[in-house]
Coordinates of all heavy atoms in Angstrom, one line a residue:
M1 N 13.7 2.3 7.4 CA 12.4 2.8 7.9 C 12.1 2.3 9.3 O 11.0 2.6 9.8 CB 11.3 2.2 7.0 CG 11.3 2.9 5.6 SD 9.9 2.6 4.7 CE 10.6 2.4 3.1
A2 N 13.0 1.6 9.9 CA 12.9 1.2 11.3 C 13.0 2.5 12.2 O 13.6 3.5 11.8 CB 14.0 0.3 11.7
L3 N 12.4 2.3 13.4 CA 12.5 3.4 14.3 C 14.0 3.6 14.9 O 14.6 2.6 15.1 CB 11.6 3.1 15.5 CG 10.2 3.2 15.2 CD1 9.4 2.7 16.4 CD2 9.6 4.6 14.8
D4 N 14.3 4.8 15.1 CA 15.7 5.0 15.7 C 15.6 4.7 17.2 O 14.5 4.7 17.7 CB 16.3 6.3 15.5 CG 15.5 7.4 16.0 OD1 14.2 7.3 16.2 OD2 16.0 8.7 16.2
V5 N 16.7 4.4 17.7 CA 16.7 3.9 19.2 C 16.1 4.9 20.1 O 15.4 4.6 21.1 CB 18.2 3.5 19.6 CG1 18.3 3.1 21.0 CG2 18.7 2.4 18.7
A6 N 16.5 6.2 19.9 CA 15.9 7.3 20.9 C 14.4 7.4 20.8 O 13.9 7.4 21.8 CB 16.7 8.5 20.5
K7 N 13.9 7.3 19.6 CA 12.5 7.5 19.5 C 11.7 6.3 20.1 O 10.8 6.4 20.8 CB 12.1 7.6 17.9 CG 10.6 7.8 17.7 CD 10.3 9.2 18.2 CE 8.7 9.4 17.8 NZ 8.2 10.6 18.4
K8 N 12.3 5.0 19.9 CA 11.7 3.9 20.4 C 11.8 3.8 21.9 O 10.8 3.5 22.6 CB 12.6 2.6 19.8 CG 11.9 1.3 20.1 CD 12.6 0.2 19.3 CE 12.0 -1.1 19.5 NZ 12.6 -2.1 18.8
K9 N 12.9 4.3 22.5 CA 13.0 4.4 24.0 C 11.9 5.3 24.5 O 11.4 5.1 25.6 CB 14.4 4.7 24.4 CG 15.3 3.5 24.3 CD 16.7 3.9 24.9 CE 17.6 2.8 24.7 NZ 19.0 3.1 25.3
E10 N 11.8 6.4 23.8 CA 10.8 7.4 24.2 C 9.3 6.9 24.3 O 8.7 7.1 25.3 CB 10.9 8.7 23.3 CG 10.0 9.8 23.6 CD 10.0 10.9 22.6 OE1 11.1 11.1 22.1 OE2 9.0 11.4 22.2
I11 N 9.0 6.1 23.2 CA 7.7 5.6 23.1 C 7.5 4.5 24.2 O 6.5 4.5 24.9 CB 7.5 5.0 21.7 CG1 7.4 6.1 20.6 CG2 6.1 4.2 21.6 CD1 7.4 5.7 19.2
I12 N 8.5 3.7 24.4 CA 8.5 2.6 25.4 C 8.2 3.3 26.8 O 7.5 2.8 27.6 CB 9.7 1.7 25.4 CG1 9.6 0.9 24.1 CG2 9.7 0.8 26.6 CD1 10.8 0.1 23.8
A13 N 9.0 4.3 27.1 CA 8.9 5.0 28.5 C 7.6 5.6 28.6 O 7.0 5.6 29.8 CB 9.9 6.1 28.5
K14 N 7.0 6.1 27.6 CA 5.6 6.8 27.7 C 4.6 5.8 27.9 O 3.6 6.1 28.6 CB 5.4 7.6 26.4 CG 4.1 8.3 26.5 CD 3.9 9.3 25.2 CE 2.6 10.0 25.3 NZ 2.4 10.8 24.2
F15 N 4.6 4.6 27.2 CA 3.4 3.7 27.3 C 3.6 2.5 28.2 O 2.7 1.6 28.3 CB 3.0 3.3 25.9 CG 2.5 4.4 25.1 CD1 3.2 5.1 24.2 CD2 1.1 4.7 25.2 CE1 2.7 6.1 23.5 CE2 0.5 5.8 24.5 CZ 1.4 6.5 23.6
A16 N 4.8 2.3 28.8 CA 5.1 1.1 29.6 C 4.3 1.2 30.9 O 4.0 2.3 31.4 CB 6.6 1.0 29.8
R17 N 3.9 0.0 31.4 CA 3.3 -0.1 32.6 C 4.2 0.1 33.8 O 3.8 0.6 34.8 CB 2.6 -1.5 32.8 CG 1.6 -1.8 31.8 CD 0.9 -3.1 32.0 NE 0.0 -3.4 30.8 CZ -0.5 -4.6 30.6 NH1 -0.3 -5.6 31.4 NH2 -1.3 -4.8 29.6
D18 N 5.5 -0.4 33.7 CA 6.5 -0.2 34.7 C 7.8 -0.1 34.0 O 7.8 0.1 32.8 CB 6.5 -1.3 35.7 CG 6.8 -2.7 35.0 OD1 7.5 -2.9 34.1 OD2 6.2 -3.7 35.6
G19 N 8.9 0.0 34.9 CA 10.2 0.4 34.2 C 10.8 -0.7 33.3 O 11.5 -0.4 32.3
K20 N 10.4 -2.0 33.4 CA 10.9 -3.1 32.6 C 10.0 -3.5 31.5 O 10.3 -4.5 30.8 CB 11.4 -4.2 33.5 CG 12.5 -4.0 34.5 CD 13.0 -5.1 35.2 CE 14.1 -4.8 36.2 NZ 14.6 -6.0 36.8
D21 N 8.9 -2.9 31.4 CA 7.9 -3.3 30.4 C 8.2 -2.8 29.0 O 8.4 -1.7 28.8 CB 6.6 -2.7 30.8 CG 5.4 -3.1 29.8 OD1 5.6 -4.1 29.2 OD2 4.5 -2.3 29.7
T22 N 8.5 -3.8 28.1 CA 8.7 -3.5 26.7 C 7.8 -4.2 25.8 O 7.9 -4.0 24.6 CB 10.2 -3.8 26.3 OG1 10.4 -5.2 26.5 CG2 11.2 -3.0 27.1
G23 N 7.1 -5.2 26.3 CA 6.3 -6.0 25.4 C 4.8 -6.1 25.7 O 4.1 -6.9 25.1
S24 N 4.3 -5.2 26.4 CA 2.9 -5.1 26.7 C 2.1 -4.7 25.5 O 2.7 -4.2 24.6 CB 2.5 -4.3 27.9 OG 2.7 -2.9 27.5
S25 N 0.9 -5.0 25.5 CA 0.1 -4.6 24.2 C 0.1 -3.1 24.0 O 0.2 -2.8 22.8 CB -1.3 -5.1 24.4 OG -1.5 -6.4 24.6
E26 N 0.0 -2.3 25.1 CA 0.1 -0.9 24.9 C 1.4 -0.4 24.2 O 1.4 0.3 23.2 CB -0.1 -0.2 26.2 CG -1.4 -0.3 26.9 CD -1.4 -1.4 27.9 OE1 -0.7 -2.5 27.7 OE2 -2.1 -1.2 29.0
V27 N 2.4 -0.9 24.6 CA 3.8 -0.6 24.0 C 3.8 -1.0 22.5 O 4.3 -0.3 21.6 CB 4.9 -1.1 24.8 CG1 6.3 -1.0 24.1 CG2 5.0 -0.6 26.2
Q28 N 3.5 -2.3 22.3 CA 3.5 -2.8 20.9 C 2.6 -1.9 20.0 O 3.0 -1.7 18.8 CB 3.0 -4.3 20.9 CG 3.9 -5.2 21.5 CD 3.4 -6.6 21.5 OE1 3.1 -7.1 20.4 NE2 3.4 -7.3 22.5
I29 N 1.4 -1.6 20.4 CA 0.5 -0.8 19.6 C 1.1 0.6 19.3 O 1.0 1.0 18.3 CB -0.9 -0.7 20.3 CG1 -1.5 -2.1 20.3 CG2 -1.8 0.3 19.6 CD1 -2.8 -2.2 21.2
A30 N 1.7 1.1 20.4 CA 2.2 2.5 20.2 C 3.4 2.4 19.2 O 3.6 3.3 18.3 CB 2.8 3.1 21.5
L31 N 4.2 1.5 19.3 CA 5.4 1.3 18.3 C 4.9 1.0 16.9 O 5.4 1.6 16.0 CB 6.3 0.2 18.8 CG 7.2 0.5 20.0 CD1 7.9 -0.8 20.5 CD2 8.2 1.5 19.8
L32 N 3.9 0.2 16.8 CA 3.3 -0.1 15.5 C 2.6 1.2 14.9 O 2.9 1.4 13.7 CB 2.2 -1.2 15.5 CG 2.8 -2.6 15.6 CD1 1.6 -3.6 16.0 CD2 3.5 -3.0 14.5
S33 N 2.1 2.0 15.8 CA 1.4 3.1 15.2 C 2.5 4.2 14.8 O 2.3 4.8 13.6 CB 0.6 3.9 16.4 OG -0.4 3.0 16.7
Q34 N 3.6 4.2 15.4 CA 4.6 5.1 14.9 C 5.3 4.6 13.6 O 5.5 5.4 12.7 CB 5.7 5.2 15.9 CG 6.9 6.2 15.6 CD 6.5 7.7 15.3 OE1 5.7 8.1 16.3 NE2 6.8 8.1 14.2
R35 N 5.4 3.3 13.5 CA 5.9 2.7 12.1 C 4.9 3.0 11.1 O 5.3 3.3 10.0 CB 6.2 1.2 12.4 CG 7.6 1.0 13.2 CD 7.8 -0.5 13.3 NE 8.2 -1.0 12.0 CZ 8.1 -2.4 11.8 NH1 7.8 -3.3 12.8 NH2 8.3 -2.8 10.6
I36 N 3.6 2.8 11.4 CA 2.6 3.0 10.4 C 2.6 4.4 9.9 O 2.5 4.8 8.8 CB 1.2 2.6 10.9 CG1 1.1 1.2 11.1 CG2 0.1 3.2 10.1 CD1 -0.1 0.6 11.9
A37 N 2.8 5.5 10.9 CA 2.9 6.9 10.4 C 4.1 7.1 9.6 O 3.9 7.9 8.6 CB 2.9 7.7 11.8
D38 N 5.3 6.5 10.0 CA 6.4 6.7 9.2 C 6.3 6.1 7.8 O 6.6 6.8 6.8 CB 7.7 6.2 9.8 CG 8.0 6.9 11.1 OD1 7.5 7.9 11.4 OD2 8.8 6.3 11.9
L39 N 5.7 4.9 7.7 CA 5.5 4.2 6.3 C 4.5 5.1 5.6 O 4.6 5.1 4.3 CB 5.0 2.9 6.5 CG 6.1 1.8 6.5 CD1 5.6 0.4 6.7 CD2 6.9 1.8 5.1
T40 N 3.4 5.6 6.1 CA 2.5 6.3 5.4 C 3.2 7.6 4.8 O 2.9 7.9 3.6 CB 1.4 6.8 6.3 OG1 0.7 5.6 7.0 CG2 0.3 7.6 5.6
E41 N 4.0 8.3 5.5 CA 4.8 9.4 5.0 C 5.7 8.9 3.8 O 5.7 9.7 2.7 CB 5.5 10.2 5.9 CG 4.7 10.9 7.1 CD 3.8 11.9 6.4 OE1 4.3 12.7 5.5 OE2 2.6 11.9 6.7
H42 N 6.3 7.9 3.9 CA 7.2 7.3 2.9 C 6.3 7.1 1.6 O 6.8 7.3 0.5 CB 7.9 6.1 3.3 CG 8.5 5.3 2.2 ND1 9.7 5.7 1.8 CD2 8.2 4.2 1.6 CE1 10.1 4.9 0.9 NE2 9.2 4.0 0.7
L43 N 5.2 6.5 1.8 CA 4.4 6.1 0.6 C 3.7 7.3 -0.1 O 3.4 7.4 -1.2 CB 3.3 5.1 1.0 CG 3.8 3.7 1.4 CD1 2.8 2.8 1.9 CD2 4.3 3.1 0.1
K44 N 3.6 8.5 0.6 CA 3.1 9.6 0.0 C 4.3 10.2 -0.9 O 3.9 10.7 -2.0 CB 2.9 10.7 1.1 CG 1.6 10.5 1.7 CD 1.3 11.4 2.8 CE 0.0 11.2 3.6 NZ -0.2 12.2 4.8
A45 N 5.4 10.0 -0.6 CA 6.6 10.5 -1.5 C 7.0 9.5 -2.4 O 7.5 9.8 -3.5 CB 7.8 10.8 -0.5
N46 N 6.7 8.2 -2.1 CA 7.0 7.1 -3.1 C 5.8 6.2 -3.4 O 5.7 5.1 -2.9 CB 8.2 6.2 -2.5 CG 9.3 7.1 -2.2 OD1 10.0 7.5 -3.0 ND2 9.6 7.3 -0.9
P47 N 4.9 6.7 -4.3 CA 3.6 6.0 -4.4 C 3.7 4.7 -5.2 O 2.8 3.8 -5.1 CB 2.8 7.0 -5.3 CG 3.7 7.8 -5.9 CD 4.9 8.0 -5.0
K48 N 4.8 4.4 -5.8 CA 5.0 3.1 -6.5 C 5.7 2.0 -5.8 O 6.0 1.0 -6.3 CB 5.7 3.4 -7.8 CG 4.9 4.1 -8.8 CD 5.7 4.4 -10.2 CE 4.8 5.1 -11.1 NZ 5.4 5.2 -12.4
D49 N 6.0 2.3 -4.4 CA 6.7 1.3 -3.6 C 5.7 0.3 -3.0 O 5.2 0.5 -2.0 CB 7.5 2.1 -2.5 CG 8.3 1.2 -1.7 OD1 8.4 0.0 -1.9 OD2 9.0 1.7 -0.9
H50 N 5.5 -0.7 -3.9 CA 4.4 -1.7 -3.5 C 4.8 -2.5 -2.4 O 4.0 -3.1 -1.7 CB 3.9 -2.4 -4.8 CG 3.3 -1.6 -5.8 ND1 2.2 -0.8 -5.6 CD2 3.8 -1.2 -7.0 CE1 1.8 -0.1 -6.8 NE2 2.9 -0.3 -7.6
A51 N 6.1 -2.9 -2.3 CA 6.5 -3.7 -1.2 C 6.3 -3.1 0.1 O 5.9 -3.7 1.1 CB 8.1 -4.0 -1.4
S52 N 6.6 -1.8 0.1 CA 6.4 -1.0 1.5 C 4.9 -1.0 1.8 O 4.4 -1.0 2.9 CB 6.9 0.4 1.4 OG 8.3 0.3 1.4
R53 N 4.1 -0.9 0.7 CA 2.6 -0.9 0.9 C 2.1 -2.1 1.5 O 1.3 -2.1 2.4 CB 1.9 -0.5 -0.4 CG 0.4 -0.3 -0.3 CD -0.1 0.2 -1.6 NE 0.5 1.3 -2.2 CZ 0.3 2.6 -1.9 NH1 -0.4 2.9 -0.9 NH2 1.0 3.6 -2.5
L54 N 2.7 -3.2 1.1 CA 2.2 -4.5 1.6 C 2.6 -4.6 3.1 O 1.9 -5.1 3.9 CB 2.9 -5.6 0.7 CG 2.6 -7.0 1.2 CD1 1.1 -7.4 1.0 CD2 3.4 -8.0 0.4
G55 N 3.9 -4.2 3.4 CA 4.4 -4.1 4.8 C 3.4 -3.3 5.6 O 3.1 -3.7 6.8
L56 N 3.0 -2.2 5.1 CA 2.2 -1.2 5.8 C 0.9 -2.0 6.2 O 0.3 -1.8 7.2 CB 1.8 0.0 5.0 CG 0.8 0.9 5.6 CD1 1.3 1.6 6.9 CD2 0.5 2.1 4.6
L57 N 0.3 -2.7 5.2 CA -1.0 -3.4 5.4 C -0.9 -4.5 6.4 O -1.8 -4.7 7.3 CB -1.5 -4.0 4.1 CG -1.9 -3.0 3.0 CD1 -2.3 -3.7 1.7 CD2 -3.1 -2.1 3.5
K58 N 0.3 -5.2 6.5 CA 0.6 -6.2 7.5 C 0.6 -5.5 8.8 O 0.0 -6.1 9.9 CB 1.9 -6.9 7.2 CG 1.7 -7.9 6.1 CD 2.9 -8.7 5.8 CE 2.8 -9.6 4.6 NZ 4.0 -10.3 4.4
L59 N 1.2 -4.4 9.0 CA 1.4 -3.6 10.3 C 0.1 -3.2 10.8 O -0.3 -3.4 11.9 CB 2.4 -2.5 10.2 CG 3.8 -2.7 9.9 CD1 4.5 -1.5 9.7 CD2 4.3 -3.5 11.1
V60 N -0.7 -2.7 9.8 CA -2.1 -2.3 10.3 C -2.9 -3.4 10.8 O -3.7 -3.4 11.7 CB -2.8 -1.6 9.1 CG1 -4.3 -1.3 9.3 CG2 -2.1 -0.3 8.7
G61 N -2.9 -4.5 10.1 CA -3.6 -5.8 10.5 C -3.1 -6.2 11.9 O -4.0 -6.7 12.8
H62 N -1.8 -6.2 12.1 CA -1.2 -6.6 13.4 C -1.8 -5.7 14.5 O -2.1 -6.1 15.6 CB 0.3 -6.6 13.3 CG 0.9 -7.3 14.5 ND1 2.2 -7.2 14.7 CD2 0.4 -8.0 15.6 CE1 2.5 -7.9 15.9 NE2 1.4 -8.3 16.3
R63 N -1.7 -4.4 14.3 CA -2.1 -3.4 15.3 C -3.7 -3.6 15.5 O -4.1 -3.5 16.7 CB -1.9 -2.0 14.7 CG -2.4 -0.9 15.8 CD -2.0 0.4 15.3 NE -2.9 0.8 14.2 CZ -2.9 2.0 13.7 NH1 -2.1 3.0 14.1 NH2 -3.8 2.3 12.7
K64 N -4.5 -3.8 14.5 CA -5.9 -4.1 14.7 C -6.2 -5.3 15.6 O -7.0 -5.2 16.4 CB -6.6 -4.3 13.3 CG -8.0 -4.4 13.3 CD -8.5 -4.6 11.9 CE -10.1 -4.8 11.9 NZ -10.6 -4.9 10.6
S65 N -5.3 -6.3 15.4 CA -5.7 -7.5 16.1 C -5.2 -7.2 17.7 O -5.8 -7.7 18.6 CB -5.0 -8.8 15.6 OG -3.6 -8.5 15.7
L66 N -4.2 -6.6 17.9 CA -3.7 -6.3 19.2 C -4.7 -5.3 19.9 O -5.0 -5.4 21.1 CB -2.3 -5.5 19.2 CG -1.2 -6.5 18.9 CD1 0.1 -5.6 18.8 CD2 -1.0 -7.4 20.2
L67 N -5.2 -4.4 19.1 CA -6.3 -3.4 19.7 C -7.5 -4.2 20.0 O -8.2 -3.9 21.1 CB -6.7 -2.3 18.7 CG -5.7 -1.2 18.6 CD1 -6.0 -0.3 17.4 CD2 -5.7 -0.4 19.8
A68 N -8.0 -5.1 19.2 CA -9.1 -6.0 19.6 C -8.9 -6.8 20.8 O -9.8 -6.9 21.7 CB -9.4 -7.0 18.4
Y69 N -7.7 -7.3 21.0 CA -7.4 -8.1 22.2 C -7.4 -7.2 23.4 O -8.0 -7.5 24.5 CB -5.9 -8.8 22.0 CG -5.4 -9.3 23.4 CD1 -5.9 -10.4 24.0 CD2 -4.5 -8.5 24.1 CE1 -5.3 -10.9 25.1 CE2 -4.0 -8.9 25.2 CZ -4.4 -10.2 25.7 OH -4.0 -10.6 27.0
L70 N -6.8 -6.0 23.3 CA -6.8 -5.1 24.4 C -8.2 -4.6 24.8 O -8.5 -4.6 26.0 CB -5.9 -4.0 24.1 CG -5.5 -3.0 25.3 CD1 -4.8 -3.8 26.3 CD2 -4.8 -1.9 24.8
K71 N -9.0 -4.4 23.7 CA -10.4 -4.0 24.0 C -11.3 -5.1 24.7 O -12.0 -4.8 25.7 CB -11.0 -3.7 22.7 CG -12.5 -3.1 22.8 CD -13.0 -2.7 21.4 CE -14.3 -2.1 21.5 NZ -14.8 -1.6 20.2
K72 N -11.0 -6.3 24.4 CA -11.7 -7.5 25.0 C -11.3 -7.7 26.3 O -12.1 -8.1 27.2 CB -11.5 -8.7 24.0 CG -12.2 -10.0 24.5 CD -12.0 -11.0 23.5 CE -10.6 -11.5 23.5 NZ -10.3 -12.6 22.6
T73 N -9.9 -7.5 26.6 CA -9.4 -8.0 27.9 C -9.4 -6.8 29.0 O -9.7 -7.1 30.1 CB -8.0 -8.6 27.8 OG1 -7.2 -7.6 27.3 CG2 -8.2 -9.9 27.0
Q74 N -9.0 -5.7 28.5 CA -8.8 -4.5 29.4 C -9.3 -3.2 28.8 O -8.5 -2.4 28.3 CB -7.3 -4.4 29.9 CG -6.8 -5.7 30.5 CD -5.2 -5.6 30.6 OE1 -4.5 -4.8 29.8 NE2 -4.8 -6.5 31.5
Y75 N -10.6 -3.0 28.9 CA -11.1 -1.9 28.2 C -10.7 -0.6 28.7 O -10.6 0.4 27.8 CB -12.7 -2.0 28.2 CG -13.4 -1.0 27.4 CD1 -13.5 -1.2 26.0 CD2 -13.8 0.3 27.8 CE1 -14.0 -0.3 25.2 CE2 -14.4 1.2 27.0 CZ -14.5 0.9 25.6 OH -15.1 1.8 24.8
A76 N -10.5 -0.4 30.0 CA -10.0 0.9 30.4 C -8.7 1.3 29.7 O -8.5 2.5 29.4 CB -10.0 0.8 32.0
R77 N -7.8 0.4 29.7 CA -6.4 0.7 29.1 C -6.6 1.0 27.6 O -5.9 1.7 27.1 CB -5.5 -0.5 29.3 CG -5.0 -0.6 30.8 CD -3.9 -1.7 31.0 NE -3.5 -1.6 32.3 CZ -2.8 -2.5 32.9 NH1 -2.2 -3.5 32.1 NH2 -2.4 -2.5 34.2
Y78 N -7.5 0.2 27.1 CA -7.8 0.4 25.5 C -8.3 1.8 25.3 O -7.8 2.4 24.4 CB -8.8 -0.7 25.0 CG -9.4 -0.4 23.7 CD1 -8.7 -0.7 22.6 CD2 -10.7 0.2 23.6 CE1 -9.3 -0.4 21.3 CE2 -11.3 0.5 22.4 CZ -10.6 0.1 21.2 OH -11.1 0.4 20.1
A79 N -9.2 2.3 26.2 CA -9.9 3.6 25.9 C -8.7 4.6 26.1 O -8.7 5.6 25.3 CB -11.0 3.8 26.9
K80 N -7.9 4.5 27.1 CA -6.8 5.4 27.4 C -5.8 5.5 26.3 O -5.4 6.5 25.9 CB -6.2 5.1 28.7 CG -5.1 6.0 29.1 CD -4.3 5.6 30.3 CE -3.2 6.5 30.6 NZ -2.4 5.9 31.7
L81 N -5.5 4.3 25.7 CA -4.6 4.2 24.8 C -5.0 4.9 23.4 O -4.2 5.7 22.8 CB -4.2 2.8 24.4 CG -3.1 2.5 23.3 CD1 -1.7 3.1 23.8 CD2 -3.0 1.1 23.0
I82 N -6.3 4.6 23.0 CA -6.7 5.2 21.7 C -6.9 6.7 21.8 O -6.7 7.4 20.8 CB -8.0 4.5 21.2 CG1 -9.1 4.7 22.1 CG2 -7.8 3.1 20.9 CD1 -10.4 4.2 21.6
A83 N -7.2 7.2 23.0 CA -7.2 8.7 23.3 C -5.9 9.3 23.1 O -5.7 10.3 22.5 CB -7.8 9.0 24.6
E84 N -4.8 8.5 23.6 CA -3.5 9.2 23.6 C -2.9 9.1 22.2 O -2.1 10.0 21.7 CB -2.5 8.4 24.6 CG -2.7 8.7 26.0 CD -1.6 8.0 26.9 OE1 -0.5 8.0 26.5 OE2 -2.1 7.5 28.0
L85 N -3.2 8.0 21.4 CA -2.6 7.9 20.1 C -3.6 8.5 19.0 O -3.3 8.5 17.9 CB -2.5 6.3 19.8 CG -1.4 5.6 20.6 CD1 -1.4 4.2 20.2 CD2 0.0 6.3 20.2
K86 N -4.7 9.1 19.5 CA -5.7 9.7 18.6 C -6.1 8.7 17.4 O -6.2 9.1 16.3 CB -5.1 11.0 18.0 CG -4.8 12.0 19.1 CD -4.2 13.2 18.5 CE -4.0 14.2 19.5 NZ -2.5 14.3 19.9
L87 N -6.5 7.5 17.8 CA -7.0 6.4 16.9 C -8.4 6.5 17.0 O -9.1 6.9 17.9 CB -6.4 5.2 17.3 CG -4.9 4.9 17.2 CD1 -4.6 3.5 17.7 CD2 -4.4 5.2 15.9
K88 N -9.1 6.0 15.9 CA -10.5 5.8 15.9 C -11.0 4.6 16.7 O -10.4 3.6 16.6 CB -11.1 5.7 14.4 CG -10.8 6.9 13.6 CD -11.3 6.5 12.2 CE -11.1 7.6 11.2 NZ -11.6 7.4 9.9
D89 N -12.0 4.8 17.4 CA -12.6 3.7 18.2 C -13.6 2.8 17.3 O -14.4 3.4 16.6 CB -13.4 4.1 19.4 CG -13.8 3.0 20.3 OD1 -13.4 1.9 20.1 OD2 -14.7 3.3 21.2
R90 N -13.4 1.6 17.1 CA -14.2 0.8 16.2 C -15.0 -0.1 17.1 O -14.8 -0.7 18.0 CB -13.3 0.0 15.4 CG -12.5 0.7 14.4 CD -11.6 0.0 13.6 NE -10.7 0.9 12.9 CZ -10.7 1.1 11.6 NH1 -11.5 0.5 10.8 NH2 -9.8 1.9 11.1

């Protein structure tokens, strides 16, 4: 269920601040969002996969904390990111 290399590079290129950026909050949130979407689709097809459901909850919690950090420190980037990813503003 991991992201394939091409999709991961595409997401990094889209959300990176510069050419070598792979670990900024925006990139991490975008990668987590893609993994969450993939796991959600998996769980629709496999509703009894409780281990994946637990992993999904952990990913959602991690993304939530990264979004809170970004909102607190750099609100303009936060607003742009949630608009691009079509996430709800909390």
Side-chain angles (χ1 to χ4, degrees):
M1 289 189 221
L3 293 174
D4 61 337
V5 176
K7 184 69 174 172
K8 191 171 183 177
K9 284 184 180 182
E10 177 186 326
I11 293 170
I12 290 171
K14 183 176 179 182
F15 292 97
R17 295 181 190 171
D18 59 36
K20 294 184 178 184
D21 178 25
T22 57
S24 67
S25 298
E26 293 98 325
V27 172
Q28 290 182 52
I29 292 167
L31 290 172
L32 283 171
S33 295
Q34 183 61 45
R35 286 182 62 198
I36 288 169
D38 292 346
L39 263 176
T40 302
E41 290 302 314
H42 169 77
L43 287 171
K44 286 179 184 176
N46 303 286
K48 294 185 178 183
D49 189 355
H50 298 297
S52 291
R53 187 172 310 280
L54 181 62
L56 174 66
L57 292 175
K58 288 181 181 182
L59 291 175
V60 169
H62 190 191
R63 182 180 70 177
K64 183 177 177 182
S65 65
L66 284 171
L67 282 168
Y69 166 77
L70 193 60
K71 184 176 183 178
K72 181 175 64 173
T73 58
Q74 299 168 342
Y75 187 80
R77 288 185 178 173
Y78 166 80
K80 181 181 172 190
L81 182 67
I82 61 168
E84 285 185 40
L85 293 175
K86 298 179 179 100
L87 299 176
K88 294 180 183 178
D89 187 14
R90 296 179 191 245

